[in-house]
Amino acid sequence: FACALFKSANIYRRIASDKSLKKALRYLKASLNLRKNFLTSCDLELAHNLVALGATYNELKGEENNTNAIKHYHEALDIYTHNQTT
């Protein structure tokens, strides 16, 4: 189900209107929450989801969205870095 939400979010991201991007954010957040219930905190699927969230926030523009984008990118970077060193 998390994968279906993630893929649906990508479709909404391609539409690229503010309305569709906000819907994509809802789907990506739901996907991330589901994945967090079933995956370890350093699973690469979580990182991919976080990058997609960051990219979607970035597409929405604005200071608050940029801050959220950076936050999610850093969380993903931590996971990627952890996986590089283990």
Side-chain angles (χ1 to χ4, degrees):
F1 188 66
C3 186
L5 287 168
F6 185 83
K7 288 181 180 190
S8 296
N10 284 333
I11 292 168
Y12 284 110
R13 281 185 61 210
R14 277 188 245 135
I15 296 169
S17 68
D18 278 355
K19 184 178 178 180
S20 69
L21 290 170
K22 288 176 183 174
K23 191 166 206 163
L25 281 177
R26 286 194 305 272
Y27 280 43
L28 288 167
K29 288 176 183 179
S31 175
L32 182 63
N33 286 333
L34 285 170
R35 287 178 169 166
K36 283 182 176 180
N37 288 329
F38 297 102
L39 302 172
T40 65
S41 63
C42 57
D43 195 292
L44 289 175
E45 284 188 45
L46 293 178
H48 301 322
N49 211 134
L50 289 163
V51 167
L53 265 168
T56 306
Y57 275 115
N58 189 49
E59 291 174 46
L60 281 167
K61 311 271 187 281
E63 188 175 339
E64 184 178 345
N65 290 321
N66 288 338
T67 300
N68 282 321
I70 291 167
K71 174 185 161 239
H72 287 91
Y73 287 143
H74 281 290
E75 288 179 41
L77 182 60
D78 289 343
I79 295 170
Y80 289 131
T81 303
H82 172 80
N83 281 286
Q84 284 280 321
T85 58
T86 56

